[in-house]
Amino acid sequence: MDDTAFREWLGVALAQVVSEEGAVLLMPGRRADLERFRARVSRAFGELRAQLSRAGVLHVVPEMPLSGSYAGGPIRGFADLVLSKKGEQRAILDLKWGGKNWYPALLEENRHLQLALYAELLRQQTGAWPAVAYFLLEAGRLIAPDKSFFPDARVVRSKNPETTAQLWQRFLATWRWRMDQIEAGRIEVVVEDIEATPESLGPQHGLAIEALNPDYNPFANLVGWRAEP
């Protein structure tokens, strides 16, 4: 599409999405919110389109179903966008609305596990690891670990020189460790105010153990209970 055709298409598509999914924005008194939403989405998709054009992307598959297996059995998911360009180069682009601080931190600390999972499933299908990146819609910003696929990406380099493939291996090591505990009848509840024990220290080459936000951690309700022998 040329720019004019793209803007016309986006206007029609956005109006349809709002009519189907955006009832709150159509309520009386919410016109300003609706217009801000339209402006942000228009700006974001214009930037996304420009990024894909400058990267030389030739083919885009939205909501691509991915399936494969790992040590725990079959696994599947849907990647937001799978992109291809000349030379069989591929990338997985995950679309997020907000998180302008959260998702750069995931890349910086090499904790982008959702992207690593999609990348591993695509690797099982194609034989090669794809590039990975996030596109933050609210900010209209594409962030990636490097510029190998997206030349105009905002680069967020990992503090440790690790690849997505190495992140996947750390996940597998952590999964095996946790499964050994579960099979032995031990389940850890991870919260910030409980001191770590030798059993709660993960494998040397595993993932760092994180406490979930207590506002969204249903397992925190188990803290303070002791099983009777």
Side-chain angles (χ1 to χ4, degrees):
M1 294 181 181
D2 59 28
D3 291 343
T4 300
F6 174 74
R7 285 193 296 268
E8 291 176 355
W9 169 84
L10 184 60
V12 173
L14 186 55
Q16 181 178 350
V17 169
V18 170
S19 70
E20 295 174 353
E21 307 285 348
V24 173
L25 293 175
L26 297 175
M27 293 173 63
R30 298 298 298 271
R31 181 63 181 267
D33 295 331
L34 174 58
E35 293 306 319
R36 278 194 293 269
F37 175 73
R38 283 176 173 160
R40 286 176 177 174
V41 171
S42 297
R43 183 180 68 250
F45 275 83
E47 173 62 18
L48 175 59
R49 182 170 178 260
Q51 287 275 0
L52 301 191
S53 176
R54 292 192 292 265
V57 171
L58 300 176
H59 189 58
V60 180
V61 181
E63 286 294 310
M64 181 174 177
L66 297 170
S67 61
S69 62
Y70 76 119
I75 191 169
R76 62 194 179 108
F78 294 85
D80 287 345
L81 294 177
V82 175
L83 315 171
S84 305
K85 59 183 180 179
K86 189 176 180 180
E88 297 300 315
Q89 288 181 281
R90 291 182 176 86
I92 293 177
L93 187 59
D94 200 22
L95 306 183
K96 303 295 185 184
W97 176 252
K100 64 179 181 179
N101 296 321
W102 173 253
Y103 293 105
L106 290 185
L107 292 178
E108 187 177 46
E109 298 165 11
N110 208 38
R111 294 190 292 115
H112 50 289
L113 188 56
Q114 181 185 11
L115 275 174
L117 168 62
Y118 293 153
E120 164 61 10
L121 294 179
L122 189 59
R123 182 203 65 79
Q124 291 181 23
Q125 294 182 13
T126 66
W129 282 93
V132 296
Y134 291 111
F135 187 79
L136 309 180
L137 289 160
E138 190 173 28
R141 183 180 304 158
L142 193 151
I143 59 173
D146 54 53
K147 295 193 175 188
S148 61
F149 193 96
F150 301 100
D152 291 338
R154 180 170 297 191
V155 174
V156 181
R157 300 193 186 280
S158 172
K159 294 178 181 177
N160 300 314
E162 289 187 332
T163 64
T164 302
Q166 289 171 313
L167 170 58
W168 178 251
Q169 291 303 315
R170 288 199 289 119
F171 159 72
L172 291 178
T174 305
W175 177 85
R176 294 188 186 100
W177 168 65
R178 282 301 195 202
M179 286 304 300
D180 288 343
Q181 291 180 331
I182 291 172
E183 290 170 0
R186 300 194 306 274
I187 299 177
E188 180 182 8
V189 179
V190 181
V191 291
E192 291 182 346
D193 56 351
I194 293 181
E195 187 175 349
T197 67
E199 290 80 10
S200 64
L201 299 177
Q204 180 180 358
H205 299 295
L207 298 172
I209 306 303
E210 299 178 53
L212 296 177
N213 185 326
D215 293 335
Y216 306 102
N217 184 0
F219 303 106
N221 296 318
L222 296 173
V223 175
W225 293 83
R226 182 182 298 277
E228 293 294 334

